Amino acid sequence: MKSIRYILLLAATFMTLGASAKPMKTDRVYMFGFSASFKDSVIYVTDIQNVKGAWIDTKTKFLLPRDEYSQQLKIYLEETLQQSKRVCMVFFYLDKKKAEKKFLKLMKKYQKGYDVRHVNVTEFKFDPIDMSPEQK
């Protein structure tokens, strides 16, 4: 009986996740990139950037498409710094203070024991991804 409830709960969860909200273009999103590798102790972190024209899911408040922003950083590291097979992620916030707080927390955590390399905005800049209906 528990397994049936569990399956029904999972099905209900996936059905609600499937109901997509509309993407919304924002004035600005504050984001920074983070990259690590399982092969070394080098961490790459970008500046906090003000990305104008990014899109947010109105229901989940998630950045759309997050994976493409991570891919931008991955391509930069591969092509410019010859750093292949790195795991890249993007942190984003609508509030600059929250972005700064998360950035400082990550720096505090990784500056001990890791070789943190800063990538400033003159070296790498996130390009906004157009999610408007005519671009799909």
Side-chain angles (χ1 to χ4, degrees), residues 96-108:
K96 187 175 182 179
K97 290 193 185 293
K98 288 182 182 178
E100 290 169 346
K101 183 177 178 181
K102 183 63 172 184
F103 183 85
L104 292 174
K105 184 177 178 181
L106 272 175
M107 290 296 93
K108 184 177 179 181

Side-chain angles (χ1 to χ4, degrees), residues 4-14:
I4 293 173
R5 284 187 203 156
Y6 182 71
I7 291 170
L8 290 174
L9 180 63
L10 279 175
T13 302
F14 286 118

Side-chain angles (χ1 to χ4, degrees), residues 34-45 70-71 73-75 77-78 81-89 114-115 117:
F34 176 89
S35 176
S37 175
F38 295 110
K39 293 184 176 186
D40 59 32
S41 62
V42 178
I43 304 289
Y44 289 94
V45 181
S70 297
Q71 191 66 23
L73 178 58
K74 186 175 182 77
I75 290 169
L77 293 171
E78 287 175 350
L81 302 179
Q82 285 72 49
Q83 295 293 316
S84 62
K85 298 182 182 174
R86 299 194 66 82
V87 177
C88 297
M89 61 190 90
Y114 292 91
D115 179 9
R117 299 187 185 171

Side-chain angles (χ1 to χ4, degrees), residues 40-83:
D40 59 32
S41 62
V42 178
I43 304 289
Y44 289 94
V45 181
T46 70
D47 282 336
I48 297 173
Q49 300 177 19
N50 178 356
V51 180
K52 296 179 181 179
W55 290 74
I56 300 289
D57 184 295
T58 55
K59 184 175 183 179
T60 62
K61 305 296 184 220
F62 273 12
L63 179 68
L64 298 173
R66 293 178 306 284
D67 58 332
E68 290 186 33
Y69 286 104
S70 297
Q71 191 66 23
Q72 287 180 19
L73 178 58
K74 186 175 182 77
I75 290 169
Y76 166 78
L77 293 171
E78 287 175 350
E79 293 179 357
T80 307
L81 302 179
Q82 285 72 49
Q83 295 293 316

